[in-house]
Amino acid sequence: MTDFSQAPHLTLLPAVDVAGGKAVRLTQGKAGTEQSFGSPVDAALDWTRQGAEWIHLVDLDAAFGRGENRGAIKKVIKAVKGDAQIELSGGIRDDRSLEAALETGAKRINLGTAALENPEWTAHVIAEYGDQIAVGLDVRGTTLAARGWTQDSGDLWEVLDRLEEAGCSRYVVTDVTKDGMLNGPNVALLQQIAERTDRPIVASGGVSSLDDIAALRELVPIGIEGAIVGKALYAGSFTLAAALDVAGK
C-alpha cells in the first residue's frame, strides 16, 4: 500500500456526453441507447464541485452527424471556467468545426473520424496546434471505428504509425466494446499501444470500480496519463471523490 500511495497520480476526466441538449450516456457508443441524466451544465458543475480538474465533453449529435449542441457546449465550458479544463470531442472534422471548437475555450480538442479519413489535414492541424490536439483511437479488436463508431476505418497499428510520424501529442484510447458496459478497461490494449508510443495516453471505456482505477494508475509509468470515467459515476458505482483519492489526487 505504501508503494501504491507513492505512485504517480492518474488524471481522471468525468465524461459529459451531450445529445439533444441533455447529458446522456450510451451503451457501446450506439445511437438509440441514450439514457438521459438531465442538464449537462449541472453534471459538469457537480463533477467540478467534487474535485474534477478535467472534464471530457462530447457533442454526440455532432459525432453522429445529426446536428450539434454548440450552445449547450458553450454553457458547460463557461460554467466550469477556472475550475476545470475541458477536453472537447465530437464532429470536429475540418477547419471550420475546429475553429468553432477552439473558440469555446476548450483546453484540448479530441479529433476522431477526421484523423482516420483526412490524414493530410490531421497532420497539418497537429503541426499547427501541438498539445491542443489529441487523437481518439476508438477500437474494436485492432480495427478503428469512425463516424460515431458506426463505420470501420482502418487498422489501429497502421494509423498509429502515421500519427506518430505526424507528431501527435496525445491519444485517447477507447475499447468500443467496453464503453458503457461496466466490465473493466482493456488493460492489454492500453499496454500494447503504450509499447508503440512515448506519447501520453488517456484510457476510456469500461471503468466500473475503484479497483479499475487502481489498475490504470499502475500503468501511469508506462504512459497511461489519465482515464475517462462515465457510466460508473452516473450509476453511482462510486463517488468521484473516492475515485480521485484512488487516482492519487
Side-chain angles (χ1 to χ4, degrees), residues 175-208:
D175 182 338
V176 175
T177 66
K178 287 183 171 289
D179 187 72
M181 298 300 290
L182 299 178
N183 59 4
N186 189 337
V187 170
L189 173 67
L190 295 168
Q191 291 172 326
Q192 289 168 0
I193 294 176
E195 288 174 0
R196 300 279 286 262
T197 179
D198 60 1
R199 304 297 185 176
I201 296 166
V202 177
S204 175
V207 172
S208 63

Side-chain angles (χ1 to χ4, degrees), residues 10-17 25 47 52-57 85-88 108 170 172 201-204 207 213 225-231 233-234 240 243-244 247:
L10 178 77
T11 299
L12 296 185
L13 299 86
V16 179
D17 295 353
R25 292 301 301 162
W47 302 141
E53 296 178 342
W54 277 89
I55 289 173
H56 182 73
L57 183 61
Q85 305 284 6
I86 297 291
E87 176 180 87
L88 180 60
R108 191 158 69 218
R170 180 177 280 98
V172 179
I201 296 166
V202 177
S204 175
V207 172
I213 293 171
E225 171 187 72
I228 295 168
V229 186
K231 193 168 186 177
L233 285 175
Y234 289 95
L240 180 58
L244 288 167

Side-chain angles (χ1 to χ4, degrees), residues 7 24 131 141 208 238:
V24 304
D131 195 50
S208 63
F238 48 78

